[in-house]
Amino acid sequence: MRTIIELNSLAKSIRRDIVKMIAAAGSGHPGGSLSLVEIMVALYFGDIMNHDAKDPKGKNRDRFVLSKGHAAPVLYAVLAEAGYISKDLLPTLRKLGSPLQGHPDLRKLDILEISSGSLGQGISVGIGMALAARLDHLPGKIYIAVGDGEINEGQIWEAALFAGHHHLNNLIVIVDHNGFQLDEANRKILDLNPLADKWAAFNWNVMVIDGHDMASVHGALQKAGQSAEKPTVIIAKTVKGKGVSFMENNNKFHGMAPTETELSQALAELE
Amino acid sequence: MRDIKFSKATRQAYGEVLTVLGETHPEIIVLDADLSKSTYSNYFQARYPERFINVGIAEGNMVGIAAGLAASGKQPFASSFATFLMSKGFDQMRQSIAYPNLKARFCGSHAGISIGEDGPSQMGIEDLALACALPGFTVIVPADEAAMQSLLPQVLEINGPVYIRTGRIKSAVIYEAGTVLKIGQASVVREGRQLTIATMGLMIGESLIAADLLEQEGYSVRVMDFHTLKPIDIPGIRYMAENSEAVLCVEEHLLDGGLGSIIAREVAKIRPLPMDFVGLTDYAESGTPEELLKHYGLHAVNIADTARKLLKRLRS
Ligand SMILES: Cc1ncc(C[n+]2csc(CCOP(=O)(O)OP(=O)(O)O)c2C)c(N)n1
C-alpha cells in the first residue's frame, strides 16, 4: 500500500486537477470538492475500498456514493487517477456531450454507482445497496459521502434510523463537516451540534476525526469496515476550499469557478 | 429580423418586486431552503431580516412551515429551485396547502434546461405539471421584469395557493415597463392569422424569432403568452382556436403535463385544430444555455421547423 506521504502527495495532485477542471468549465463547486480530497484519496488509494478499474462492476466490489453530488469534480479527478476514465476527459467537465456532467450522471458515465445532485438521498440509496449485498451474501461495503448542510434533509434521518435499526454494519457514511452550506455557515442556519450524539442516539458507531490528517482519515476508514453490528458514521472535520488559501473558509467559492489569475495562484500554492 | 433584448432574469425581478411588496404588506413572510442567493429571496432578507426564514436544506419542512404560517394569517412566500421545491415539497403542498386551500405562495427558480452547466439534477422540468396537478393552485410564469412587476402584486389577492416559476438566465424582454397583464388572461404578443404559437416564459422570445422567420416565408403567425397555466384562459383559447388554422405549443418543460397538454384539452373542446408540440421528452445534460436550447430543440430555428411541418400538413 502507499505510504501516508505518498497519499498526501496524491491529494495535492487531485486538488490541482479539481481547480483546473472547474476553471476550464467556468463553473462548478470548488469549496466542497476540496474539502473531500483526503477522504476520497484514502478510500480509493489507501487500500480501503475493494475496487478495480478493470472490472468496475465486479460483483464483490465496495461501492462509493457521492450523495453531495455537487462535489463531482473530486470524484472525477479520483476516478481518472484510478484509471476508470481517461484524464483527457477532465477538461470536458460540464461541456455538452461530456460524460463528466455537472453532477454525477449514471446515464452518461456508467461506472458510477448512482446519479446524484438533489441533496439528501444518498444514504437511502446506499441502504438499498447494503441490503442487496446482504441478501446476496456479498462482501461489498457501501461508502457514502454527505455534506453537513445536506444532513438538514429529513430523509437523511429517516435513513439513519433505518440503518441503525437494521444493523447495517456494511454501511459507512462520511460527513464532510466543513461548517458551511450554500447561503451561510451551518450554525447560522441550523446548528447541528451535538452532531456525534445525534448519530449515536440513532444507534450508529461514531468517529470524529480531522478530515485533512491523512493518517486519521485512513485509520478511521480502516476501523469503519470492522464494526460488528452497527453502521458507521465518520464525522470528518474539514475546511471548505482546503488547500487554496483564498478559497479556505470563503463560501464565495461554494459554487464559483476561479478566474485565470486565481487559478495560477491556486496552482502555485498546490505545487 | 427582430433584435431581441435580454435583461434581468425573472428570479431577480421576483426578489426585487417581493421586497417592494414587503413594505406595504407586513403579513408577508419569506422562506428559503438555503438557496436565497440564487432565488433572490435574499433581497427581502436584507430589507426585512425579521420576516425572513432560512429553513436550511429541507424543502418539505419549509412547505409545512409555510402552511402553518398561512393558517395563522401570514402570507408566506417560499422559494427554492423549482425541482427541489415542487418535488421535495409535493406531498406537503398537497396535504397541507392545496387540500386546506391556504393562501401560501411558492416560487421555483432555475426552471427549465436553460440553467445550463449544473445539469439535469438541478433543472425544473416537471414543476409545472406537478403544480398544475394540485386542485386550487394558481400557476404563473412571468416572462420578464415588466411581467413580474405586473403579475406578482396580483398574487397577494389570490384566495388560494400560488406557484410562480422563474428562470436563471437573463430573460428576453417581451413587455415594456408599465405593461398591465392580468393573472388568468393570456396576452397576444404578436398578431397573425394562420398559426398561433402558444407559449410562455423564455420560449416567448424564441417563438417571436421563429414567427419572424416564418413570416419571411409568407406565413402569418400569432404568438400568445400563456403566463397563467392554471386557471387556463378559456376565452383566450377560444380566440386562438377561432382565429387560427393550427396551434403550436412551445414550452421549456416536459411535454407530459405541461402547457401543451392543458391547451390541447381546451382546444379539443372548443374547436379541434391541427396541433403540434415543442418541449422536452427526457432529462437533458450539462452545457451552455444556448447550446442546450439548440440541442434539445427549443431554439427559434427548431420551433420554426416544427411550425413549417404543421403548416405544410394543413396544405396537403
Ligand atoms: C435538495 C436540494 N436542495 C438544494 C440544493 C442546492 N444546493 C447545492 S449545494 C448546497 C449546499 C450544500 O451544503 P453542504 O452539504 O454542506 O455541502 P458543501 O458545503 O460541503 O459544499 C445546496 C443548498 C440541492 N442540490 N439539493
Side-chain angles (χ1 to χ4, degrees):
Chain A
M1 100 141 222
R2 296 182 211 222
T3 63
I4 296 294
I5 295 173
E6 284 165 342
L7 290 176
N8 274 328
S9 97
L10 197 51
K12 213 175 230 187
S13 107
I14 296 290
R15 285 199 161 89
R16 280 198 295 273
D17 289 341
I18 292 171
V19 289
K20 274 198 275 188
M21 67 199 288
I22 296 178
S27 67
H29 298 82
S33 299
L34 291 168
S35 57
L36 262 181
V37 170
E38 279 76 12
I39 292 155
M40 299 291 289
V41 166
L43 276 172
Y44 277 85
F45 306 103
D47 288 341
I48 298 292
M49 272 175 50
N50 171 28
H51 72 109
D52 179 1
K54 287 188 215 75
D55 187 15
K57 295 286 167 181
K59 160 159 111 40
N60 291 332
R61 74 186 185 280
D62 292 337
R63 293 166 194 247
F64 175 74
V65 172
L66 184 66
S67 189
K68 43 172 284 189
H70 60 282
V74 67
L75 178 59
Y76 298 149
V78 163
L79 290 175
E81 181 66 36
Y84 286 90
I85 54 175
S86 159
K87 285 199 175 184
D88 296 340
L89 277 179
L90 297 183
T92 70
L93 173 72
R94 292 177 161 246
K95 303 228 159 85
L96 189 69
S98 171
L100 308 190
Q101 292 284 297
H103 293 72
D105 185 335
L106 184 58
R107 283 210 229 170
K108 296 275 195 288
L109 186 62
D110 62 6
I111 51 150
L112 296 172
E113 302 292 353
I114 191 73
S115 306
S116 55
S118 177
L119 296 167
Q121 307 194 14
I123 305 183
S124 303
V125 174
I127 287 174
M129 295 172 176
L131 289 172
R134 187 187 264 187
L135 286 167
D136 294 343
H137 307 289
L138 295 175
K141 297 191 190 72
I142 320 296
Y143 296 87
I144 305 153
V146 299
D148 52 6
E150 180 179 13
I151 65 175
N152 291 171
E153 287 285 0
Q155 185 183 347
I156 294 283
W157 302 99
E158 295 176 25
L161 196 55
F162 182 98
H165 177 83
H166 289 276
H167 308 290
L168 294 178
N169 66 331
N170 52 349
L171 196 74
I172 296 130
V173 167
I174 301 116
V175 181
D176 179 9
H177 195 4
N178 59 31
F180 287 93
Q181 44 203 88
L182 190 143
D183 277 332
E184 303 190 69
N186 305 145
R187 76 191 136 69
K188 291 223 178 124
I189 298 176
L190 290 176
D191 196 348
L192 299 168
N193 288 314
L195 187 55
D197 293 356
K198 284 190 177 69
W199 290 94
F202 281 64
N203 290 326
W204 284 59
N205 171 38
V206 187
M207 289 184 247
V208 181
I209 59 158
D210 173 344
H212 298 305
D213 179 56
M214 191 62 86
S216 310
V217 172
H218 189 261
L221 286 169
Q222 247 177 350
K223 263 194 271 161
Q226 290 159 13
S227 161
E229 54 169 301
K230 289 184 181 183
T232 293
V233 60
I234 298 172
I235 299 172
K237 297 209 164 157
T238 54
V239 173
K240 201 158 174 174
K242 176 73 179 178
V244 178
S245 61
F246 58 92
M247 291 187 181
E248 288 191 1
N249 293 316
N250 177 3
N251 215 31
K252 195 178 96 179
F253 285 101
H254 166 79
M256 203 174 72
T259 61
E260 233 166 88
T261 337
E262 285 167 341
L263 174 65
S264 338
Q265 193 187 332
L267 291 176
E269 290 182 18
L270 292 168
E271 264 309 310
Chain B
M1 191 137 82
R2 177 187 308 260
D3 184 22
I4 299 257
K5 283 203 196 63
F6 288 86
S7 180
K8 201 168 286 174
T10 50
R11 59 183 171 130
Q12 191 178 349
Y14 168 79
E16 289 174 1
V17 178
L18 190 60
T19 305
V20 172
L21 294 173
E23 187 110 34
T24 44
H25 291 269
E27 76 281 11
I28 294 180
I29 309 286
V30 173
L31 301 100
D32 208 292
D34 197 25
L35 278 165
S36 70
K37 290 179 193 156
S38 306
T39 62
Y40 282 102
S41 68
N42 65 338
Y43 285 6
F44 190 94
Q45 176 186 27
R47 185 81 72 85
Y48 317 103
E50 71 294 346
R51 286 194 275 143
F52 175 83
I53 307 163
N54 193 335
V55 302
I57 310 170
E59 297 77 8
N61 191 36
M62 175 168 74
V63 175
I65 293 171
L69 287 166
S72 308
K74 303 291 181 197
Q75 177 135 221
F77 279 78
S79 47
S80 178
F81 282 12
T83 183
F84 306 137
L85 180 64
M86 284 315 304
S87 305
K88 306 207 79 163
F90 189 71
D91 190 45
Q92 289 79 1
M93 284 205 201
R94 178 177 191 271
Q95 305 291 345
S96 303
I97 303 283
Y99 182 34
N101 193 39
L102 294 176
K103 285 176 67 169
R105 288 75 174 88
F106 300 97
C107 176
S109 75
H110 291 65
I113 61 173
S114 57
I115 69 160
E117 292 81 354
D118 268 349
S121 67
Q122 319 291 303
M123 294 169 174
I125 59 171
E126 303 96 338
D127 60 318
L128 296 172
L130 290 168
C132 287
L134 294 168
F137 258 71
T138 297
V139 178
I140 63 169
V141 186
D144 63 8
E145 185 179 13
M148 185 64 78
Q149 283 168 344
S150 177
L151 294 170
L152 198 61
Q154 297 170 44
V155 164
L156 297 175
E157 306 310 321
I158 291 176
N159 204 8
V162 181
Y163 176 69
I164 305 145
R165 180 191 228 213
T166 65
R168 173 178 170 253
I169 60 170
K170 285 198 157 101
S171 59
V173 177
I174 306 299
Y175 298 109
E176 282 171 25
T179 302
V180 178
L181 298 172
K182 241 186 127 256
I183 289 184
Q185 215 173 312
S187 127
V188 177
V189 292
R190 181 192 201 282
E191 258 308 354
R193 293 176 316 279
Q194 280 170 302
L195 173 75
T196 299
I197 302 181
T199 185
M200 46 141 181
L202 197 68
M203 291 297 101
I204 302 171
E206 298 297 330
S207 299
L208 284 171
I209 298 173
D212 290 353
L213 288 171
L214 293 162
E215 189 170 77
Q216 288 169 5
E217 298 160 28
Y219 298 111
S220 169
V221 181
R222 175 188 300 113
V223 176
M224 284 178 78
D225 171 13
F226 280 85
H227 51 72
T228 307
L229 276 80
K230 186 177 172 137
I232 197 75
D233 178 12
I234 304 293
I237 292 183
R238 181 179 306 280
Y239 170 78
M240 171 174 90
E242 288 173 352
N243 296 285
S244 332
E245 295 165 32
V247 174
L248 177 64
C249 300
V250 179
E251 58 193 310
E252 197 189 2
H253 186 274
L254 287 171
L255 286 178
D256 288 320
L259 177 69
S261 60
I262 297 171
I263 292 195
R265 183 184 65 204
E266 300 304 333
V267 168
K269 284 194 273 187
I270 295 169
R271 180 175 177 248
L273 288 174
M275 291 185 71
D276 209 341
F277 305 88
V278 170
L280 301 165
T281 52
D282 197 358
Y283 296 107
E285 62 187 292
S286 296
T288 66
E290 178 82 359
E291 283 171 345
L292 292 178
L293 292 177
K294 278 207 182 102
H295 192 78
Y296 288 90
L298 300 181
H299 203 263
V301 174
N302 313 109
I303 297 169
D305 279 346
T306 310
R308 230 173 261 123
K309 282 188 202 126
L310 180 57
L311 288 160
K312 289 204 175 118
R313 216 169 89 196
L314 277 184
R315 297 206 170 150
S316 62

